[in-house]
Amino acid sequence: PMGSERMEMRKRQMSTAQETPGSAQAQNNMGNRGSNACCFCWCCCCSCSCLTVRNQDEERVRRASHELQGEGIPNCEESPAPTLEEVNAWAQSFDKLMLTPAGRNAFREFLRTEFSEENMLFWMACEELKQESNKSVIEEKARLIYEDYISILSPKEVSLDSRVREVINRNMLEPSQHTFDDAQLQIYTLMHRDSYPRFMNSAIYKDLLRSLSEKSIEA
């Protein structure tokens, strides 16, 4: 009868109306999931493979950055604070500047501003090598010096002419305390002629000299 057909149609309409919100919600969920989905899958959970890879990459970057910050600048030599007399003596000759740890530290600080600190580090490494007597230690230190300051692949390579490089390469066949003597002298001369005059006119030297002069007057 007509009445039963109307009731059946009404039930279907009500059923459709009840299902629509659920379907819409499902579609919304799918839409949200799609917007947050990663490149490999439709899931958005924390165990998703591409999110895991991304997190690992970010962690590696953070760790590398932290390690670089931790490396910092090599420590300077331990030395007492220089006296006014010592600082005045530095102006008399480069030899007097290089004789004292305080002088070398001040000069290193200046070289760092000119991005040439490797010259002083190389010279100091050669001085340290000269103090060694153990053959195996000498060979290891010579190898490290070569890799750090002579190799063209090193970011700390010092500037040497071809003649000196040939001497070093021959000496490295049987390293000794004097393997780098010619190179050390060349770098010492370079610092003396090129960097030392600028150091004497630098704010680093003048500020130190003024500070010690003021303290001397106050005393």
Side-chain angles (χ1 to χ4, degrees):
M2 293 294 295
S4 60
E5 291 179 358
R6 288 175 184 168
M7 288 186 65
E8 187 66 24
M9 289 179 62
R10 191 173 300 171
K11 286 180 181 180
R12 289 176 183 173
Q13 291 172 355
M14 291 179 64
S15 175
T16 302
Q18 289 174 355
E19 290 175 1
T20 299
S23 300
Q25 182 66 35
Q27 291 175 357
N28 289 337
N29 289 341
M30 288 294 291
N32 292 337
R33 187 175 299 172
S35 62
N36 293 329
C38 63
C39 55
F40 294 130
C41 59
W42 284 98
C43 74
C44 55
C45 61
C46 60
S47 61
C48 171
S49 60
C50 94
L51 290 180
T52 302
V53 171
R54 189 186 311 160
N55 290 337
Q56 290 173 347
D57 289 341
E58 292 174 353
E59 179 61 28
R60 278 197 292 270
V61 171
R62 284 195 295 268
R63 189 182 303 116
S65 176
H66 178 73
E67 289 173 355
L68 287 174
Q69 292 171 0
E71 288 177 3
I73 298 171
N75 292 329
C76 289
E77 297 176 85
E78 291 184 5
S79 70
T83 64
L84 179 59
E85 291 74 20
E86 286 178 327
V87 175
N88 278 321
W90 298 348
Q92 297 172 14
S93 73
F94 183 59
D95 291 339
K96 290 185 176 180
L97 169 69
M98 293 290 283
L99 276 175
T100 64
R104 292 192 293 269
N105 284 339
F107 191 50
R108 269 185 68 183
E109 184 181 351
F110 169 74
L111 292 178
R112 195 175 298 144
T113 66
E114 293 199 332
F115 304 100
S116 59
E117 185 185 13
E118 65 276 2
N119 290 331
M120 177 64 81
L121 295 176
F122 170 69
W123 184 88
M124 292 171 62
C126 292
E127 287 294 293
E128 184 179 331
L129 178 65
K130 291 177 182 179
Q131 307 305 315
E132 292 294 342
S133 57
N134 184 288
K135 190 175 186 300
S136 61
V137 174
I138 289 172
E139 291 177 349
E140 177 64 14
K141 287 192 173 183
R143 182 185 64 80
L144 292 174
I145 290 173
Y146 189 94
E147 291 178 354
D148 285 345
Y149 305 108
I150 309 301
S151 172
I152 60 175
L153 301 177
S154 173
K156 295 185 292 183
E157 177 195 7
V158 295
S159 179
L160 300 170
D161 62 37
S162 58
R163 180 192 66 82
V164 171
R165 287 186 174 276
E166 289 176 3
V167 170
I168 292 174
N169 289 334
R170 286 198 302 269
N171 291 342
M172 285 298 292
L173 296 176
E174 191 173 347
S176 73
Q177 299 100 316
H178 304 289
T179 293
F180 303 101
D181 281 3
D182 287 354
Q184 186 185 20
L185 177 59
Q186 189 168 98
I187 293 302
Y188 188 90
T189 304
L190 176 66
M191 292 190 293
H192 182 190
R193 294 178 178 176
D194 186 56
S195 303
Y196 173 63
R198 291 197 299 274
F199 169 70
M200 298 311 303
N201 290 312
S202 69
I204 291 176
Y205 177 74
K206 291 180 178 179
D207 289 347
L208 179 59
L209 184 63
R210 182 174 60 251
S211 174
L212 291 173
S213 298
E214 291 173 353
K215 290 180 180 178
S216 177
I217 295 173
E218 292 174 358

